[in-house]
Amino acid sequence: MISFYLNGKIQELTQLNPNTTVLEYLRLYEGQMDTKEGCGSGDCGACTVMVQRLPTTNQQSSDVENGNSESTASPFYTINACITLVSLMDGHHVMTAAYLADNPEHHPDRALLHPAQQAMVECHGSQCGFCTPGFVMSLACVYENKRLQTNQNDSEQSDAKPLSYDEVIASISGNLCRCTGYRPIIEAGLLMGDIGQQRQAEQSAVKDLTVSLATDAMSSTKQSAASHTALTEVEPDNTAQKNTEAALTDAGRQLYMPKTVDELNQVLAANPQATIWAGGTDLGLSVTQHLIDHDVIIQLSGVEALKSWSLLDANPDSNSDKSDSEKLTAQSLVLGACMSYQQMLPVLEQHFPTFAQVFERIASPQIRNMGTIGGNIANASPIGDLPPILLALDASIHLRHCATNTEASSGSSHTDEIIPLSEFFLDYKKTKLQAGSYVVAIHIPLLQENQHLFIHKISKRYEDDISACLLAARLDVSADGATIESAKLGLGGMAAIPLLATKCQQALIGQATEVASFEKAAQRLSADVTPMTDVRASREYRMHVVQRLLVKCGKQLTTAMQTESA
């Protein structure tokens, strides 16, 4: 069974096609027509809804132990309802535009619009109105998170900063408008704070989307905890058994939602041909665009162990007398395969700031909230944004191959292997993954002091667009900065798979840290790859652009060397 709240009302489902998206459920099953379908592929944002994760029983217990009468609410986030499976909303609250207004009597004249809605009215931010609900949800999300952050820091502080222009732009970067233009919508985003402050001064009643929800959710989790306790006293293994049973079934189709890695291994061993679903931001298109009904889906959203990260010593037996800097360079950052882009961002900002800066160019907020690092790699798209960067960083991938039932009976449940990412991609959409396999984690060696990372993405739009081509370069220089000791050049959008430009790399090794070295090495790029021509770019364009980007990396490197020596 899956359970979630929809506009404040509990939904509990067992009989439902596992391929049902949130948008389908809203419109076909619940009659919620305020959420629109535009592109059906997660690009236009017309289907945007706002989501908040409900507090769990463990969170509630922790709050009680810490003496907090009210739990710290999770932040709001937006998703594209058109490509998100409804089962991914298990344990969440889904809100549509119709829920935002405080309208207890369901009468338009008596409704108190949400500041995002009111601002759109006052700024004339809607013409045809088709995209408007999606824009409203994106604006409401950034508004509510700002208010939530202010309340958690200090509800009495008077110097709370209003939303900035950049924050508004970032919030709506996943929403497209075909007629109004963005100026009045941006103005609406900037006006929301003023409307909220005016209502606070007037003490106008405003619906609290967080507090009422948390209260309901806590009540629900208390009942669930009580039922769980009574159940485990009679049947200790019942919970584990339930998690390895189908959560949704319909006409022979099944969806499993394991909660632990062990449960995942069991379910996958029993169903090696199942479709493994993490965020589904690309896999969702198989349902909406190709009309595929997956017979068996194993959803990974409940496996929290795959959403964690850690720093791992490359050599655990290394000499403890090493300096702190030497120990740091021997470490790798391990990212769980189910970490979303948004979850990875603060981690990368700390350890790979150049990598983190690219995230504002990757997809949209809605996609980054759902898309995972493991899914982006396993998808094996030649234009995926992460693989070329990870290749340049000399990353490794941790794979797990779950045994079939026959093998499991012999005592071997699974086998693990960690291989260089450069060996993972075999051909277009073909990888080392096989039936019964999944990605556990990605290992990324931390950069050393003499290593520099440069990343350049070329796309038709600055935001919310896939790459025409992408170059990621990790360049290692000598201690005096005069010589290039090693180079890793990751390419995306240049071949059937993401790859390293090995011959071009070799041409850089041992060369002087000068722009001329990069200009010479760029001529070797044609020996590594013959780019493709498609609707995004011609092969000639791709080759020329990446060559010039490599030279740009050389200019950036020489500038960095001059700055360091100054």
Side-chain angles (χ1 to χ4, degrees), residues 319-379:
N319 190 343
S320 59
D321 295 332
K322 285 186 176 181
S323 66
D324 290 341
S325 61
E326 288 175 322
K327 290 179 181 179
L328 181 64
T329 57
Q331 288 182 319
S332 290
L333 175 64
V334 181
L335 299 174
C338 284
M339 288 187 73
S340 69
Y341 286 78
Q342 201 58 42
Q343 290 169 334
M344 286 189 293
L345 183 57
V347 182
L348 293 177
E349 285 175 339
Q350 179 181 356
H351 298 286
F352 295 94
T354 303
F355 194 169
Q357 289 172 4
V358 183
F359 272 41
E360 67 180 23
R361 299 282 322 276
I362 297 177
S364 65
Q366 294 93 320
I367 296 296
R368 294 196 295 268
N369 287 331
M370 298 300 295
T372 64
I373 183 173
N376 190 258
I377 295 171
N379 184 41

Side-chain angles (χ1 to χ4, degrees), residues 422-477:
S422 56
E423 299 177 7
F424 178 71
F425 303 104
L426 303 178
D427 202 347
Y428 179 72
K429 290 287 187 175
K430 292 184 179 180
T431 68
K432 284 290 186 72
L433 287 173
Q434 55 196 23
S437 300
Y438 66 95
V439 181
V440 177
I442 308 300
H443 296 239
I444 313 173
L446 295 184
L447 290 174
Q448 302 180 29
E449 289 185 3
N450 68 322
Q451 295 178 328
H452 302 264
L453 178 66
F454 305 102
I455 305 169
H456 297 288
K457 172 179 176 176
I458 301 298
S459 57
K460 289 182 178 291
R461 293 195 307 263
Y462 183 83
E463 300 166 316
D464 194 14
D465 200 6
I466 58 179
S467 300
C469 51
L470 188 148
L471 170 68
R474 195 205 74 194
L475 304 169
D476 305 0
V477 298

Side-chain angles (χ1 to χ4, degrees), residues 39 54 69 74 124 141 143 214 250 254 274 279 299 310 500-501 518:
C39 64
L54 297 174
S69 58
S74 300
H124 308 287
C141 185
Y143 174 87
D250 177 73
Q254 299 173 314
Q299 185 180 296
S310 63
L500 287 169
F518 290 85

Side-chain angles (χ1 to χ4, degrees), residues 9-28:
K9 296 181 180 179
I10 189 70
Q11 310 286 310
E12 295 181 335
L13 308 172
T14 55
Q15 298 292 322
L16 184 71
N17 185 343
N19 297 274
T20 302
T21 65
V22 173
L23 184 64
E24 285 181 307
Y25 185 78
L26 289 174
R27 295 180 66 86
L28 301 182

